[in-house]
Amino acid sequence: MELVLAISIATLAGSGVWLLLRPRTYQVIVGLSLISYAVNLFIFSMGRLRHDAAPVLSGQTGNLADYADPVPQALVLTAIVIGFATTALFLVVLLASRGLTGTDHVDGREPE
Amino acid sequence: MNGDVLLILIVVLPFVGSVLAATFRPNARNSEAWLAGGVALACLILAAIAYPAIVEHGAIRSESEWLPTLGLNFTLRMDGFAWLFSVLVSGFGFLVVLYARYYMSPHDPVPRFFAFLLAFMGAMLGMVISGNLVLLVIFWELTSIFSFLLIGYWHHNAGARDGARMALTITGIGGLGLLVGVLLIGHIVGSYDLDRVLAAGDQIREHDLYVPALILILLGTLTKSAQFPFHFWLPNAMAAPTPVSAYLHSATMVKAGVFLMARLWPVLSGTPEWFWIVGFAGMASLLVGAFFAIFQHDLKGLLAYSTISHLGLITMLLSLGSPLGAVAAIFHMINHATFKASLFMAAGIIDHETGTRDMRRLGGLFRYMPITATLAMVASAAMAGVPLLNGFLSKEMFFAEAIETHAKSVLDTSAPYVAVLASAFAVTYSLRFIHTVFFGPKPTGLERQPHEPPFWMRFPIQFLVLACLVVGTIPALTVGPFLHTAVISVLGPNTPFYSLAVWHGFTLPLLMSAVALVAGVVLYLLLNGYLNRSEAGPPFIRRLQAQRIFERVLVVLSWKWARSIEARLGTRRLQPQLRLLVVAAFIAALLPISLDDLSLTSLRISEIDAVFVLIWVSGICCAVSAAYQAKYHRLAALILLGGAGLSTCITFAWFSAPDLALTQLLVEIVTTVLLLLGLRWLPKRIEEEGPKTVSLGTRFRRVRDFGIAVAAGGGVGVLAFVAMTSPVPLETVASYYLEKAYVEGGGKNVVNVILVDFRGFDTLGEVSVLAVVALTVFALLRRFRPAADSIAVPDQQRMQNDFDEAEPDRKVGDTIADYLLVPAVIMQWAFPVIIVLATYLFLRGHDLPGGGFVAGIAMAAAFILQYMAAGTRWVEERLRILPVSWIGLGLLLAALTGMGAWLFGYPFLTTYSQYVELPTVGATPLATALLFDLGVLGIVVGATVLMLIALAHQSTRGLRSARVATEAEQEEA
């Protein structure tokens, strides 16, 4: 499973980086979204992959052997929401730039 | 009064006054003056109250913790020397306020002036009574900043702007040096506390870092006191209003440099390095300042160079390292402030009455303003060092020190000659000031008839000149005891015997004074004719101006070099920057990794599940195709992006993270809606049919970027694989949370407890970011002019509208309104269901997967669905959603919940948990964290809805503008 997920993270990140280096704003926004998937999965995987581990305490306390690691999950949870916010901000900047300059090139003008 | 309170009041009062002063009406000169004068007087009285305690105990202290871990405390400490300066600063402050009331014109915006002046006074008082060196530097920098603001007060004047900028650049660089020097001292001593530093003189002088620390500190003090070679900012600062020149640039701020040198004198002085650097700077300033002063035509320019010269005298006295020299230096600080401030005020009156400060145009003013003229003459005599005035006394002490041998060297041998020469120059320029302004022929071509100023404008000068006289005749009875308190606090047990008598018999210093007086008069008689004809500036080296060198250096550094570096290394194109970023990140991650770390000996691989593989086969296909299609097929790319997101979402669920899966799913929905809304304004891009010609450059770029992408992706993948397969450490931070989540946080969903309880402060920060982003989006879109729609009205819509037009009983738009009717009804009915679901997710969040984030996005999705189902107008006629209020209330609730803990004496965001039996819902965990989570919910709902609705409104705006355009066309037709 680890191998599968690692390959998936690699592909997501690779596709994202490729799009990040493209000249059109829409490509960049899609690229950033793909990279954020990869990064979220990467952070999440730092807690190791645990199929069927209990995510919620059943007793008063628990130890790490019986439960899924909550720390990366908490990190990723906020990262997802913040990621949405930055995507929205970027989209609006992109649209404003398109409205102002008349082009969707990342530099605000078509290359010569 | 308690010493603590007293010291804090002295520092705080002026700043409070400053804030108050800033709120007055622009022409409220009288009330401003009352306020500022009152504050200055209050500080003076506070200082007076403190005096007995200082005499008795040596110093009073007030200490409050600020950043104790860094050794930084808000320590205030007033000893005799600090007391003397506090009195100078507040006393002169009072006089200057009084003077400024009459000096400022009714058209000047006085609130700004008095606010800055008071703030400066606070900074200066804070500087002199700081008991911690870092605190001292902070106040020091504040004085530089307020000096900048005050010099540039008349900012419509280019000279004022340039002068202000130059003063700030020079003193700011010095301040930086001082900060580093102080940090070095703190490193040597192990404390920034002034008392401990003053007690560690030997330790500092013997340390290896002594010389760098000394040079850096002197960089600060010499720039501040306008000492050679940094002297040139002071004459340029004369563009400031005259009360500012009198206050900052003669009596107080420029004294800060010599103040600090005297303050640290017991610690830093007495070494050859100190003697040479300080001595050279002092002697050069003394001589150069006095010489240049002779050749100025501007009254204030003359006084500015004279100030440089007198500060040089003080610096030179401090350089000698003898206690008597230090006594003379402190005494001269007082004397110089007294006569120089009065002279500046007199110059201001002359300027005010005649409209010019050019000495070549002035003359014969004695007959118009005899009282002012007399006062100015006495003050100039004090400046020249005429007997029976205070300037004479400290100058005699200076001569006495100059003839002593301190450290056998050129500097020491030449000192007496330089002293006499500079004194002769001082006599010359003082005489010139008096003679050209008040005597000789009447001035010609003046704009108005000069006359005596109002009494209260002259009063500060009268007071100061009286002080010059009184101190000059009976020094021991007037200034003596206070000077002694100050001297003891600096020198301690090393305080030498000194006598403040006017008459010491026929001594060598007296002879030197006499020589200087005669030589000065003779020199003036010789130069008089030349001075009236010449240009401003000293002969021969007129063109060699430090100011020009400074400007040239600035131009080269901040313009030529900066631009050439930018042209060579910079780019305004985004792609190279991003490429550099990615490559740098890749290298940064690669460097620390050695091959040993990647050995896969401890492989821990779980069994591969075919379903999971299938999920990611499709996920990978989606990601790669999205990358491939994003240029020409945006909608397809968006759908494919969603596919990759879904795979991610399932992965979270698969590996025991239901919270993440839920959040990811809902965020995926709103993100897709968001991007869909934006698509319509992107330009059309149709893929060319047939064989494409790709240029060589493009092909190269693609291959290179593909290589970078593969390398970056592969790198991340390898890292992830290695991390995932390495064994888990026994004790991680997670263990702590798992143990304490229920016991201390009262919740079983550890992720949620971490978010709203353990790391609640982080969450508060994150939701604030969310709120800020939403408001930014909203603000950007309010002024937003969308590009023209890329796609024309679809055929289907056009046909439906045509149909409506053809039928007499239908209005245009009726058919479209029924578009997707069945889904729309379902969506409308889903509204309460989703709201209930969101509430459920929210309430159970503390114990089961759910929580404020998820519930917030779910609720936002419910609102968005209504918009999608029925259109903006329909929804807003029926449902008033106020997303900004949601955000505001959410933030308020989260912050208030956090602050609630204060009421019970706990730190911010401490939570309390309890199970509560709710009707029909059952036992619900009601931690105060739930209230915090409610705040989070509010912010998430508000922010999400605000962003989406703001974007959705753009389409109605586009329609409206299109309608307006067509209507306009019809009218024209």
Side-chain angles (χ1 to χ4, degrees):
Chain A
M1 294 296 248
E2 278 81 359
L3 192 64
V4 179
L5 191 59
I7 292 171
S8 314
I9 292 175
T11 328
L12 287 172
S15 314
V17 168
W18 161 259
L19 282 176
L20 198 63
L21 302 176
R22 296 298 91 212
R24 301 293 155 190
T25 46
Y26 186 74
Q27 291 174 308
V28 177
I29 204 170
V30 172
L32 282 174
S33 300
L34 285 174
I35 289 178
S36 68
Y37 292 147
V39 171
N40 286 346
L41 283 172
F42 183 84
I43 296 172
F44 173 67
S45 70
M46 292 302 106
R48 309 300 184 277
L49 303 184
R50 302 276 299 278
H51 189 52
D52 282 342
V56 171
L57 289 176
S58 48
Q60 297 264 318
T61 62
N63 63 50
L64 196 51
D66 306 326
Y67 292 96
D69 192 339
V71 178
Q73 294 195 21
L75 287 173
V76 172
L77 191 87
T78 43
I80 294 173
V81 179
I82 294 280
F84 164 68
T86 48
T87 307
L89 184 60
F90 184 40
L91 180 78
V92 171
V93 171
L94 176 170
L95 292 177
S97 151
R98 153 86 177 127
L100 275 175
T101 61
T103 162
D104 66 338
H105 194 278
V106 285
D107 296 333
R109 57 174 177 212
E110 293 295 324
E112 285 86 30
Chain B
M1 196 188 291
N2 192 329
D4 261 20
V5 181
L6 201 138
L7 289 181
I8 291 174
L9 268 184
I10 286 187
V11 176
V12 170
L13 261 185
F15 285 109
V16 174
S18 164
V19 173
L20 274 182
T23 60
F24 285 10
R25 276 179 301 111
N27 58 351
R29 279 192 301 172
N30 285 327
S31 34
E32 291 280 1
W34 278 110
L35 171 73
V39 168
L41 210 55
C43 290
L44 189 64
I45 292 168
L46 286 172
I49 294 172
Y51 189 66
I54 290 168
V55 175
E56 196 179 331
H57 305 295
I60 48 176
R61 277 174 72 94
S62 142
E63 192 158 353
S64 28
E65 281 199 344
W66 179 20
L67 296 170
T69 43
L70 297 178
L72 246 182
N73 284 340
F74 197 88
T75 312
L76 299 174
R77 168 187 177 280
M78 189 189 264
D79 61 1
F81 189 43
W83 179 85
L84 184 72
F85 260 81
S86 310
V87 169
L88 279 182
V89 171
S90 47
F92 276 83
F94 175 73
L95 294 176
V96 164
V97 165
L98 190 59
Y99 177 78
R101 155 65 187 86
Y102 294 95
Y103 180 85
M104 301 309 285
S105 120
H107 306 298
D108 288 322
V110 280
R112 187 152 56 91
F113 179 81
F114 283 101
F116 290 160
L117 201 71
L118 279 175
F120 167 79
M121 192 164 84
M124 192 70 199
L125 285 170
M127 201 279 287
V128 297
I129 63 172
S130 286
N132 183 302
L133 285 179
V134 178
L135 187 65
L136 185 144
V137 176
I138 291 170
F139 280 121
W140 177 284
E141 292 289 341
L142 277 180
T143 62
S144 292
I145 290 167
F146 287 113
S147 158
F148 166 78
L149 293 170
L150 281 167
I151 298 171
Y153 174 70
W154 285 317
H155 49 64
H156 47 83
N157 175 349
R161 292 198 302 268
D162 292 344
R165 198 160 43 220
M166 183 186 291
L168 184 67
T169 314
I170 303 282
T171 53
I173 290 172
L176 268 183
L178 179 68
L179 177 63
V180 180
V182 159
L183 293 180
L184 285 180
I185 294 280
H187 171 73
I188 296 171
V189 181
S191 165
Y192 298 113
D193 192 89
L194 193 57
D195 282 321
R196 286 191 53 193
V197 170
L198 288 180
D202 291 331
Q203 193 189 346
I204 292 172
R205 281 189 296 269
E206 281 155 19
H207 202 275
D208 290 339
L209 288 174
Y210 167 72
V211 176
L214 176 71
I215 290 174
L216 287 166
I217 290 178
L218 289 180
L219 185 68
T221 59
L222 296 178
T223 49
K224 195 78 162 183
S225 279
Q227 293 296 285
F228 184 84
F230 311 111
H231 59 282
F232 51 90
W233 71 261
L234 189 59
N236 285 290
M238 291 301 132
T242 302
V244 173
S245 307
Y247 190 37
L248 274 69
H249 304 126
S250 75
T252 57
M253 190 188 82
V254 288
K255 294 282 191 320
V258 285
F259 168 84
L260 190 60
M261 281 196 274
R263 182 90 275 179
L264 296 177
W265 188 85
V267 179
L268 296 177
S269 75
T271 61
E273 293 87 358
W274 168 275
F275 174 72
W276 276 100
I277 304 174
V278 181
F280 175 73
M283 195 183 268
S285 312
L286 171 67
L287 204 56
V288 169
F291 183 66
F292 281 28
I294 300 175
F295 299 95
Q296 299 303 311
H297 291 315
D298 179 9
L299 276 180
K300 282 176 79 178
L302 184 151
L303 293 176
Y305 277 106
S306 154
T307 303
I308 293 170
S309 166
H310 279 274
L311 290 169
L313 188 155
I314 298 172
T315 307
M316 201 172 147
L317 279 168
L318 288 169
S319 77
L320 302 175
S322 82
L324 265 178
V327 175
I330 296 171
F331 190 29
H332 198 66
M333 288 180 205
I334 313 173
N335 292 338
H336 174 252
T338 321
F339 62 68
K340 192 52 68 63
S342 58
L343 280 172
F344 265 112
M345 292 185 197
I349 288 178
I350 293 163
D351 184 12
H352 213 250
E353 293 299 325
T354 62
T356 179
R357 298 195 312 241
D358 190 332
M359 282 188 273
R360 286 168 302 184
R361 291 182 61 202
L362 291 166
L365 288 184
F366 189 84
R367 68 198 86 167
Y368 299 112
M369 37 172 88
I371 306 178
T372 309
T374 315
L375 293 172
M377 278 189 268
V378 178
S380 312
M383 172 161 80
V386 172
L388 291 183
L389 293 166
N390 60 354
F392 173 74
L393 297 175
S394 39
K395 200 187 62 178
E396 287 279 281
M397 292 165 97
F398 170 54
F399 283 158
E401 274 303 301
I403 45 185
E404 292 285 325
T405 305
H406 297 282
K408 194 109 184 84
S409 62
V410 193
L411 219 57
D412 204 55
T413 335
S414 61
Y417 306 101
V418 171
V420 173
L421 192 60
S423 286
F425 288 159
V427 173
T428 307
Y429 66 68
S430 304
L431 204 55
R432 176 155 186 248
F433 181 88
I434 295 305
H435 185 240
T436 49
V437 174
F438 295 113
F439 298 99
K442 272 200 249 181
T444 48
L446 290 187
E447 284 140 31
R448 57 204 127 166
Q449 176 79 19
H451 51 75
E452 283 287 349
F455 173 77
W456 287 109
M457 187 174 188
R458 214 175 48 210
F459 172 80
I461 311 179
Q462 281 168 328
F463 181 83
L464 291 173
V465 167
L466 189 68
C468 288
L469 265 172
V470 173
V471 170
T473 43
I474 40 169
L477 292 179
T478 48
V479 79
F482 306 114
L483 179 65
H484 192 67
T485 322
V487 166
I488 286 180
S489 70
V490 174
L491 298 178
N494 295 330
T495 308
F497 171 77
Y498 61 92
S499 135
L500 282 182
V502 177
W503 178 252
H504 288 111
F506 290 102
T507 53
L508 193 52
L510 189 67
L511 180 67
M512 289 161 80
S513 279
V515 170
L517 268 176
V518 174
V521 175
V522 172
L523 186 65
Y524 177 67
L525 293 177
L526 290 176
L527 280 176
N528 191 15
Y530 167 79
L531 286 174
N532 285 333
R533 279 175 280 111
S534 71
E535 285 177 57
F540 311 122
I541 49 170
R542 191 171 287 134
R543 303 188 64 80
L544 181 76
Q545 286 180 344
Q547 176 195 351
R548 282 202 194 156
I549 301 171
F550 169 79
E551 274 162 7
R552 195 155 300 168
V553 168
L554 268 198
V555 166
V556 169
L557 275 181
S558 70
W559 184 245
K560 286 191 185 152
W561 287 9
R563 275 173 61 96
S564 80
I565 288 173
E566 196 202 353
R568 260 164 231 186
L569 301 178
T571 172
R572 304 184 72 166
R573 293 171 52 223
L574 183 70
Q575 286 162 280
Q577 298 175 29
L578 284 179
R579 198 175 297 130
L580 204 64
L581 202 68
V582 173
V583 170
F586 180 74
I587 292 171
L590 193 65
L591 281 182
I593 296 176
S594 64
L595 281 177
D596 302 345
D597 298 336
L598 294 182
S599 65
L600 302 174
T601 45
S602 55
L603 220 54
R604 262 177 10 103
I605 298 190
S606 45
E607 245 175 77
I608 291 183
D609 191 302
V611 178
F612 188 72
V613 173
L614 211 60
I615 289 167
W616 271 111
V617 167
S618 65
I620 287 172
C621 286
C622 282
V624 174
S625 333
Y628 184 66
Q629 298 290 359
K631 187 168 185 185
Y632 292 111
H633 303 283
R634 297 196 188 103
L635 184 61
L638 183 57
I639 295 166
L640 291 164
L641 183 69
L646 269 182
S647 298
T648 309
C649 173
I650 295 171
T651 309
F652 288 142
W654 194 285
F655 294 116
S656 329
D659 271 304
L660 293 190
L662 262 175
T663 316
Q664 178 75 51
L665 186 68
L666 289 164
V667 166
E668 206 52 56
I669 294 169
V670 281
T671 309
T672 309
V673 173
L674 184 82
L675 292 178
L676 273 175
L677 283 171
L679 278 185
R680 62 189 296 170
W681 291 295
L682 288 171
K684 231 181 247 185
R685 180 161 288 108
I686 310 289
E687 204 167 1
E688 288 167 35
E689 297 282 329
K692 279 179 282 188
T693 49
V694 179
S695 73
L696 206 61
T698 311
R699 193 167 298 166
F700 165 73
R701 274 200 299 277
R702 285 186 186 162
V703 170
R704 180 192 52 195
D705 290 350
F706 188 74
I708 293 173
V710 168
V716 174
V718 170
L719 271 186
F721 185 69
V722 173
M724 276 187 276
T725 52
S726 60
V728 192
L730 282 176
E731 272 299 306
T732 68
V733 63
S735 320
Y736 171 81
Y737 291 126
L738 285 168
E739 276 164 26
K740 306 282 183 181
Y742 189 74
V743 185
E744 292 186 1
K748 292 189 170 171
N749 181 1
V750 189
V751 177
N752 184 268
V753 176
I754 291 177
L755 286 176
V756 297
D757 191 338
F758 291 118
R759 308 299 304 167
F761 195 63
D762 296 355
T763 308
L764 187 63
E766 278 151 3
V767 288
S768 307
V769 170
L770 195 64
V772 169
V773 167
L775 291 176
T776 312
V777 165
F778 181 60
L780 273 173
L781 287 176
R782 277 181 66 135
R783 293 277 165 164
F784 172 62
R785 227 172 253 273
D789 276 326
S790 311
I791 299 168
V793 180
D795 284 342
Q796 186 193 359
Q797 267 188 40
R798 233 189 11 250
M799 278 156 59
Q800 284 171 338
N801 282 342
D802 289 347
F803 170 75
D804 285 345
E805 264 177 33
E807 298 288 317
D809 55 338
R810 292 184 79 90
K811 284 203 297 268
V812 174
D814 279 358
T815 316
I816 293 177
D818 294 338
Y819 174 65
L820 284 182
L821 185 60
V822 176
V825 169
I826 296 173
M827 284 195 249
Q828 281 169 13
W829 284 5
F831 181 69
V833 180
I834 301 178
I835 298 292
V836 170
L837 172 75
T839 318
Y840 172 63
L841 282 175
F842 170 72
L843 281 179
R844 71 179 212 153
H846 217 47
D847 273 352
L848 291 164
F853 279 111
V854 180
I857 300 170
M859 203 176 270
F863 288 124
I864 302 307
L865 275 180
Q866 299 316 301
Y867 274 79
M868 287 164 71
T872 316
R873 227 166 288 152
W874 188 90
V875 174
E876 287 177 359
E877 276 163 15
R878 286 159 182 76
L879 186 66
R880 279 179 63 79
I881 311 165
L882 302 167
V884 181
S885 314
W886 280 81
I887 295 178
L889 289 174
L891 270 178
L892 203 63
L893 185 60
L896 283 181
T897 312
M899 283 184 236
W902 286 342
L903 292 181
F904 302 96
Y906 290 104
F908 188 58
L909 280 173
T910 311
T911 58
Y912 172 75
S913 59
Q914 181 70 50
Y915 276 83
V916 174
E917 198 71 34
L918 287 186
T920 68
V921 181
T924 308
L926 270 191
T928 53
L930 194 74
L931 280 180
F932 180 77
D933 217 13
L934 191 61
V936 171
L937 172 109
I939 296 165
V940 173
V941 173
T944 314
V945 171
L946 182 63
M947 288 191 275
L948 289 167
I949 290 183
L951 205 53
H953 275 196
Q954 296 311 313
S955 47
T956 59
R957 194 194 267 189
L959 284 179
R960 202 178 310 135
S961 60
R963 202 164 49 239
V964 170
T966 36
E967 276 168 13
E969 270 173 28
Q970 282 167 353
E971 271 176 31
E972 271 175 33

